[in-house]
Amino acid sequence: MSLLAAAGLWGPPGLLLTFALHPALCLRPAPTSGPPHRDYCVLGAGPAGLQMAYFLQRAGRDYAVFERAPRPGSFFTRYPRHRKLISINKRHTGKANAEFNLRHDWNSLLSHDPRLLFRHYSSAYFPDAGDMVRYLDDFADRLGLHVLYNTTIAHVTLNKDRQAWNGHYFLLTDQMGHAHRCSVLLVATGLSVPNQVDFPGSEYTEGYESVSVDPKDFEGQNVLILGRGNSAFETAENILGVTNFIHMLSRSRVRLSWATHYVGDLRAINNGLLDTYQLKSLDGLLESDLTDLAIVKDREGKFRVTLKFFLEEGNQSTDAITLPQDDNDNFAMRVAYDRVIRCLGWNFDFSIFDKSLRLSSGGEFSKKYPLVKASYESKGSRGLFVLGTASHSVDYRKSAGGFIHGFRYTARAVHRLLEHRHHGVAWPSTEHPVSQLTSSIVRRINEASGLYQMFGVLADVVLLKENATAFEYLEELPVQMLAQLETITGRRARHGLFVINMEYGRNFSGPDKDVFFHDRSVGHTEDAWQSNFLHPVIYYYRHLPTEQEVRFRPADWALPRPTAIHHIVEDFLTDWTAPVGHILPLRRFLENCLDTDLRSFYAGHTDLDLTPTTVPVFPAISRPPMGKA
Amino acid sequence: MMSSSFNIYRVGISFVMMCIFYKSAVDSLSELSPQKYFSTLQPGKASLAYFCQADSPRTSIFLEELNEAVKPLQDFGISVAKVNCVKEETSRYCGKEKDLMKVYLFRGNILLREFPTDTLFDVNAIIAHVLFALLFNEVKYITTLEDLQNIENSLKGKANIAFSYVRAIGTPEHRAVMEAAFVYGTTYQFVLTTEIALLESIGTEAIENAHFYFFHCKQVLDLTQQCRRTLMEQPLATLNIHRFIKTMEAPLLTEVAEDPQQVSTVHLQLGLPLVFIVSQQATHEADRRTAEWVAWRLLGKAGVLLLLRDSLEVDIPQHANVVFRRAEEGAPVEFLVLHDTELIISRVEGNTHIEEMQEDEDEDMQSPDMDIQDDEVAETVYRHRKTQLPLELTVELTEETFNATVVASDSIVLFYAGWQAVSMAFLQSYIDLAIKLKGTSTLLLTRVNCADWSDLCTKQNVTEFPVVKMYKEGKHPVSYAGMLGTEDLLKFILLNRISCPVNITSVQEAEEYLSGELYKDLVPYSSVSVLGLFSPNMTIAKEDFTKAGNYLRGFVITGIYSEEDVLILSNKYGATLPALLLARHKEGKVESIPFANSRVQDIVQIVTNALLETFPEITVENLPVYLRLQKPLLILFSDGSINPQYTKAILTLVKEKHLDSLTPCWLNLKNTPAGRGILQTYFNALPPLPLIVVVNLHSGGQVFAFPSEQAITEQNLLLWLKKLEAGLESPITILPAQEWKPPLPAYDFLSMMDAAASQHPTRKEPECTKETNMQKNDKQQHEDKRSLLLFF
């Protein structure tokens, strides 16, 4: 593998070598014709692009990352504006298990190198963005990832070719007019276009991307902030102590991440304004649709809020424009503002993609993301995958796929899909006798970080062998692709399967829910299904669900209705190893699904020296060899 | 096991029932002339005859009932007939016209009773009356309390009393009592009354149709003392009385010192639970008194046993003072801590209660049982969780220290998971091993907790637990595949001390090797020493043998000799090169096996087969090896060492190839007490030993027993085996094929979720309403922009 990786750097001799070693690459036409070819092109050397590059590199694939900036992670050189990352960097958990510790490390990318853990780059719980830049720089360097810096891809088109892996090549044109041809395109460009809402007077607003971050500039001012996300509150937090007051305006009510368990919602670290608002300190929150608004500049150069409706009444001069307070003298925003700051989030940059790619926006929730399938492949063109923040339409407001601690796993899943699709490498799995079933599941639910971070999106799958005497264990499969499991993984699911998913309680979280209600915790194993906090849920299917069943599953179900289901009761310490509270009920569930006995036995009942056996205990008990042979 | 025999018992009962129904259709009432009838009467035999006119209607309700009574009465040895009186005949039983409707009971040709047909209104009445008449001496009919007291007093110290009350003579209950008296009438004094006042006077509450009491008078020696009474709580029916009496006959209290799971008493067969009162030497007397008290209280409801913890071979949880075992097959033994004897009573009665009201009580009763740990490994580990193991005897490795350690010194590594019961149980064996090897081994005993060092374990290709690997001289690590116990692991480690195969350099050394002298200390762990003999130029064969030796390392000693003078050895042992010499140390024999053209796999197979004995003593440890042969086992069970004559007989049969389709072996109950449990499963009770069985474990599960009255000789065995082969023998039992079922059900969360969803379609309804309200507000806002901002 290292040979192949080096080949990419060395040029022609290496190409020959790869050619010889990889039958799959035989499809590639002779390198003499047309623009330079890559099997995999990654757009953007941000965290997602680098993460994908790492997996491609480890697998010895022919790839390149295109990055317009001179170094990786250029987004973080400017954003967040106030430099504090809100991804936690928990350096201590009291545990040595590296996999478990990734559950509480939201900044590291996945690699085999323990030096490339973010905790070596910052000691702050909420680290500085500069450390992220430094980290990404090291990540690319140390792992020798193949990144073409200062290369801005200005245009991407599709070139049909029946010989291509996907029936077409992706043609990338850079700022110099050089073309690059790719079999697979992995878009990891993030969300780079500030979201602008068009309303009269929007030209008076300053954007989050350019507003001053020096509190001195806000001394004694009345400030109106448009938006209710973390950037809006981060901006407010910075100037809270120097302004007269801050009003925040947005369409919908504030969504607190501790109530929604969605990390993209307002994090407590930024929500100081909520505190001062409720403690009657002149700061406040308002709800209204921005598109109904208008901002007018008065004679003193201050900004007045009015309704678009009034402006449409006629072309009056600024002073003559009707203000809401003219009719209602207690109108909330009747005060004049010194500044209006727009913090309305970001959109995906669709501009470089040719129409032929049919990379459309309009995901279910928002137009800011390109439309992708649960496999992260574009719905418009085969072979185009969206990674990282831009792929968040899959689990927007649900899980962590829009953030490093989530998309580092989805990138790995995409890589595994590609390995099978193009290189005949089946989804990695381990095979065990059924006696190891309980242990295999207990191990994963207690340490797996991918399941924990990407709850509800990535799930482990246990594929049973004939007569359920053995099983294969597959990790972190995009669970909405369950019906297509056989095609995307190259594994067979003919004898039933278990899906191991992590879930919060159904009615537990939401922007308006009280998540601290009395009796919220469930302790009894028989009430496990009512658990509220994140807990493992195991689904048993006698047959692989069909696409129909996945798509038309009951509204509040993560997966289609199973043959049987098991909830492992929530645990305050997220440690599901209690012999009676956790493992015993799980074993009973598995036993009853498989109609077998999964207990371990001592060899003979007379050995008092604790000698567990694996073999039939004695002729009286015609036990099939269940344990380790 | 016990309940399975109970099933058989029940099957037996229903079989009898079926026969009755079946037969009754056939055994119809015989019709005879008076003359013919009297000629059939046999001395001492009872006979019931219905005399009627020949021209009387052929059917009547009475005749139907009588017809039905034919078979049951025949079962009691009473014949029934319809005697047709022809007009001119003048038998006195034919009587006059108005007396036509009479039935007579004879013993021999002596008339015992005559019944008007209206007394015999149905089949129950017929049987009740007939038996009542026949058992006149056995069943005392009384009407006053005084009668009862007199009988009671006269029987104290002599016999027990079965006292019953029935509402009237001829009822189904009366029939049941009479049928019981027919069977037990000579053992117990049956006493019957129809006087409700009598019943009231002995303190019966809530008097119903019938009651059955057992008066324990036999053990009463003091005439002033009253006999203990036990009331049968089940409805008065033949089967219930039978069961009740059986439990009265069973010892009140049994002392046992065996695994509660294995204990079998009549109670289990009768579908009653067992209650074990756990006792220990120090408190034995007091415990026995408690147990007796409990036993009296539970008489007829459960079997009570005193379990002696000190002499027990199995572990029971430390604090448990009561062990409860339900009669259902496969029901787990429950270990309980009950501080009040009343709780024991209520547990038994409560449990009986559920059987009747299963549906209502199911949910409440289910959960506590399901939470009981029924995995014996998990249970012991949990129980000993606070015991500090001397872990310092082994080196704990981490991700940082692992590589350096296994490179620097030969190491054995235990990969385990701290949360896994089997791992923790094996860790204890591993520590025991460390204690045994302390100071004697150059091998470093280390361990890795994969719960902490998950990545390290994955890198070492460890994905299940526990796993033992040996890292030696920087070579590829060897995985241990033996039993998870101290002894086997010790053997593996010791045999790994020498290289495999070991290079033998001189004929003399080879001889020492074969005689067991060379590795004297290792020979006890390897019953066979294998020596490969090769000419120096047989490179490929040598290579294959070396590979096979490597593969077998830790299980058997192998050596290789390929010097120029190898012929000295091959000639001596009559081998053609290349050859394997197998030295069986126990028997002091060396045999040679040619293996030209055998590849690695074959060599491994040859050696593995050679390790098998022709007539091994089966132990828990070596059983799996012999089971792997997939042949039925011929097991000779012996209490102590085996009679040499039996060995000889079997070895002769082996030699003559009569046992090729079987795996002959023997089992010493002294060495392998688990054998007792097996015999109990096969025979329900411990049969006299020695004993030979053939068990077909791999197909069918039939168990055949060699007739115990026959001597174990070559001829007898051969004959028996021939019959077996010809299918002329029937199995004594068939082991259930599908025994490894879930021991208990799981929580059905799916149903609970469904139930919740259907009961409360919107569990958080208020919140939903709130949301809709909010949406409405939104709408309004859109509609009336003017008023919108006023709300703030």
Coordinates of all heavy atoms in Angstrom, one line a residue, chain B residues 539-574:
Chain B
T539 N 14.0 -33.7 2.0 CA 13.8 -32.3 2.5 C 12.3 -32.0 2.5 O 11.9 -31.4 3.5 CB 14.5 -31.4 1.5 OG1 14.7 -32.0 0.3 CG2 15.8 -30.9 2.1
I540 N 11.6 -32.4 1.5 CA 10.2 -32.0 1.5 C 9.4 -32.6 2.6 O 8.7 -31.9 3.4 CB 9.5 -32.3 0.1 CG1 10.2 -31.5 -0.9 CG2 8.0 -32.1 0.2 CD1 9.8 -31.9 -2.3
A541 N 9.6 -33.9 2.8 CA 8.9 -34.6 3.9 C 9.3 -34.0 5.2 O 8.4 -33.8 6.1 CB 9.3 -36.1 3.9
K542 N 10.6 -33.6 5.4 CA 11.0 -33.0 6.7 C 10.3 -31.7 6.9 O 9.9 -31.4 8.0 CB 12.5 -32.8 6.6 CG 13.3 -34.1 7.1 CD 14.7 -33.7 7.5 CE 15.6 -33.6 6.2 NZ 17.0 -33.4 6.5
E543 N 10.2 -31.0 5.8 CA 9.6 -29.6 5.9 C 8.2 -29.8 6.3 O 7.7 -29.1 7.2 CB 9.7 -29.0 4.5 CG 9.9 -27.5 4.6 CD 10.2 -27.0 3.2 OE1 9.2 -26.7 2.4 OE2 11.4 -26.9 2.8
D544 N 7.5 -30.7 5.7 CA 6.1 -30.9 6.1 C 5.9 -31.4 7.5 O 5.0 -30.9 8.2 CB 5.4 -32.0 5.1 CG 5.2 -31.4 3.8 OD1 5.3 -30.2 3.6 OD2 4.9 -32.2 2.8
F545 N 6.8 -32.2 7.9 CA 6.7 -32.7 9.3 C 7.0 -31.6 10.3 O 6.3 -31.5 11.3 CB 7.7 -33.9 9.5 CG 7.7 -34.4 10.9 CD1 6.7 -35.2 11.3 CD2 8.7 -34.0 11.8 CE1 6.6 -35.7 12.6 CE2 8.6 -34.5 13.1 CZ 7.6 -35.3 13.5
T546 N 8.0 -30.7 9.9 CA 8.3 -29.6 10.8 C 7.0 -28.7 10.9 O 6.7 -28.2 12.0 CB 9.5 -28.8 10.2 OG1 10.5 -29.7 10.0 CG2 9.9 -27.7 11.2
K547 N 6.4 -28.5 9.8 CA 5.2 -27.6 9.8 C 4.1 -28.2 10.7 O 3.5 -27.6 11.5 CB 4.6 -27.4 8.4 CG 5.3 -26.3 7.7 CD 4.7 -26.0 6.3 CE 5.6 -25.3 5.4 NZ 5.3 -25.5 4.0
A548 N 3.9 -29.5 10.5 CA 2.9 -30.2 11.3 C 3.3 -30.1 12.8 O 2.4 -29.9 13.7 CB 2.8 -31.7 10.9
G549 N 4.6 -30.3 13.1 CA 5.0 -30.2 14.5 C 4.7 -28.8 15.1 O 4.3 -28.7 16.2
N550 N 5.0 -27.8 14.2 CA 4.7 -26.4 14.7 C 3.2 -26.3 15.0 O 2.8 -25.6 16.0 CB 5.0 -25.5 13.5 CG 6.4 -24.9 13.7 OD1 6.8 -24.5 14.8 ND2 7.2 -24.9 12.7
Y551 N 2.4 -26.9 14.1 CA 1.0 -26.8 14.3 C 0.5 -27.4 15.6 O -0.4 -26.9 16.2 CB 0.3 -27.4 13.1 CG -1.2 -27.2 13.1 CD1 -1.8 -26.1 12.5 CD2 -2.0 -28.2 13.6 CE1 -3.1 -25.9 12.5 CE2 -3.4 -28.1 13.6 CZ -3.9 -26.9 13.0 OH -5.3 -26.8 13.0
L552 N 1.2 -28.5 15.9 CA 0.8 -29.3 17.1 C 1.4 -28.8 18.4 O 1.2 -29.4 19.4 CB 1.1 -30.8 16.8 CG 0.3 -31.5 15.8 CD1 0.9 -32.8 15.4 CD2 -1.1 -31.7 16.3
R553 N 2.2 -27.7 18.3 CA 3.0 -27.4 19.5 C 2.0 -27.0 20.6 O 1.0 -26.4 20.4 CB 3.9 -26.2 19.2 CG 3.3 -24.9 18.9 CD 4.3 -23.9 18.5 NE 5.2 -23.7 19.6 CZ 6.4 -23.1 19.4 NH1 6.8 -22.7 18.2 NH2 7.2 -23.0 20.5
G554 N 2.4 -27.4 21.8 CA 1.6 -27.2 22.9 C 0.6 -28.3 23.2 O 0.0 -28.3 24.2
F555 N 0.5 -29.2 22.3 CA -0.5 -30.3 22.5 C 0.2 -31.7 22.6 O -0.2 -32.6 23.3 CB -1.5 -30.4 21.4 CG -2.4 -29.2 21.4 CD1 -2.1 -28.1 20.6 CD2 -3.4 -29.1 22.3 CE1 -2.8 -26.9 20.7 CE2 -4.2 -27.9 22.4 CZ -3.9 -26.8 21.6
V556 N 1.4 -31.8 21.9 CA 2.1 -33.1 21.9 C 3.5 -32.8 21.7 O 3.9 -31.8 21.1 CB 1.4 -34.0 20.9 CG1 1.6 -33.5 19.5 CG2 2.0 -35.4 21.0
I557 N 4.4 -33.7 22.2 CA 5.8 -33.5 22.0 C 6.2 -34.1 20.6 O 5.8 -35.3 20.3 CB 6.6 -34.2 23.1 CG1 6.2 -33.7 24.4 CG2 8.1 -34.0 22.8 CD1 6.9 -34.4 25.6
T558 N 6.8 -33.4 19.8 CA 7.3 -34.0 18.5 C 8.8 -33.8 18.4 O 9.4 -32.8 18.9 CB 6.6 -33.4 17.3 OG1 6.9 -32.0 17.3 CG2 5.1 -33.6 17.3
G559 N 9.4 -34.7 17.7 CA 10.9 -34.7 17.5 C 11.2 -35.1 16.1 O 10.4 -35.7 15.4
I560 N 12.4 -34.8 15.6 CA 12.8 -35.1 14.3 C 14.2 -35.7 14.3 O 15.1 -35.2 15.0 CB 12.6 -33.9 13.3 CG1 12.9 -34.3 11.9 CG2 13.5 -32.8 13.7 CD1 12.4 -33.2 10.9
Y561 N 14.4 -36.8 13.6 CA 15.7 -37.4 13.5 C 16.0 -37.7 12.0 O 15.3 -38.4 11.4 CB 15.8 -38.6 14.3 CG 17.2 -39.1 14.4 CD1 18.2 -38.4 15.2 CD2 17.7 -40.3 13.7 CE1 19.5 -38.9 15.3 CE2 19.0 -40.7 13.8 CZ 19.9 -40.0 14.6 OH 21.2 -40.4 14.7
S562 N 17.1 -37.1 11.5 CA 17.4 -37.4 10.1 C 19.0 -37.4 9.9 O 19.5 -36.9 8.9 CB 16.8 -36.3 9.2 OG 17.5 -35.1 9.3
E563 N 19.6 -38.1 10.8 CA 21.1 -38.2 10.7 C 21.3 -39.4 9.7 O 20.4 -40.1 9.3 CB 21.7 -38.5 12.0 CG 21.5 -37.4 13.1 CD 22.2 -36.1 12.7 OE1 23.3 -36.1 12.1 OE2 21.5 -35.1 12.9
E564 N 22.6 -39.5 9.3 CA 23.0 -40.6 8.4 C 22.6 -42.0 8.9 O 22.2 -42.9 8.2 CB 24.5 -40.5 8.1 CG 25.0 -39.3 7.4 CD 24.5 -39.1 6.0 OE1 24.0 -40.2 5.4 OE2 24.5 -38.0 5.4
D565 N 22.7 -42.1 10.2 CA 22.5 -43.5 10.8 C 21.0 -43.7 11.2 O 20.7 -44.5 12.0 CB 23.4 -43.7 12.0 CG 23.1 -42.6 13.1 OD1 22.3 -41.7 12.8 OD2 23.8 -42.6 14.1
V566 N 20.1 -43.0 10.5 CA 18.7 -43.2 10.8 C 18.2 -44.6 10.7 O 17.3 -45.0 11.3 CB 17.9 -42.2 10.0 CG1 17.9 -42.5 8.5 CG2 16.4 -42.1 10.5
L567 N 18.9 -45.3 9.8 CA 18.5 -46.7 9.5 C 18.5 -47.6 10.7 O 17.7 -48.5 10.9 CB 19.3 -47.3 8.4 CG 18.9 -46.8 7.0 CD1 19.8 -47.4 5.9 CD2 17.5 -47.2 6.7
I568 N 19.4 -47.3 11.6 CA 19.5 -48.0 12.9 C 18.2 -48.0 13.6 O 17.7 -49.0 14.0 CB 20.6 -47.5 13.8 CG1 22.0 -47.4 13.1 CG2 20.7 -48.2 15.1 CD1 23.1 -46.8 13.9
L569 N 17.6 -46.8 13.6 CA 16.3 -46.7 14.3 C 15.2 -47.3 13.5 O 14.3 -48.0 14.0 CB 16.0 -45.2 14.5 CG 16.8 -44.5 15.7 CD1 16.5 -43.1 15.7 CD2 16.3 -45.2 17.0
S570 N 15.2 -47.0 12.2 CA 14.1 -47.5 11.4 C 14.1 -49.1 11.3 O 13.0 -49.7 11.4 CB 14.1 -46.9 10.0 OG 15.3 -47.4 9.3
N571 N 15.3 -49.6 11.3 CA 15.3 -51.1 11.4 C 14.8 -51.6 12.7 O 14.1 -52.6 12.7 CB 16.8 -51.6 11.1 CG 17.1 -51.3 9.6 OD1 16.2 -51.2 8.8 ND2 18.4 -51.3 9.4
K572 N 15.3 -50.9 13.7 CA 14.9 -51.4 15.1 C 13.4 -51.5 15.3 O 12.8 -52.4 15.8 CB 15.6 -50.6 16.1 CG 15.2 -51.0 17.5 CD 15.8 -50.2 18.6 CE 15.3 -50.7 20.0 NZ 15.7 -49.8 21.1
Y573 N 12.7 -50.4 14.8 CA 11.3 -50.3 15.0 C 10.5 -50.8 13.8 O 9.3 -50.5 13.7 CB 10.9 -48.9 15.4 CG 11.5 -48.5 16.7 CD1 12.6 -47.7 16.9 CD2 10.9 -49.1 17.9 CE1 13.1 -47.4 18.1 CE2 11.4 -48.8 19.1 CZ 12.5 -48.0 19.3 OH 13.0 -47.7 20.5
G574 N 11.2 -51.4 12.8 CA 10.5 -51.9 11.7 C 9.8 -50.9 10.8 O 8.6 -51.2 10.4

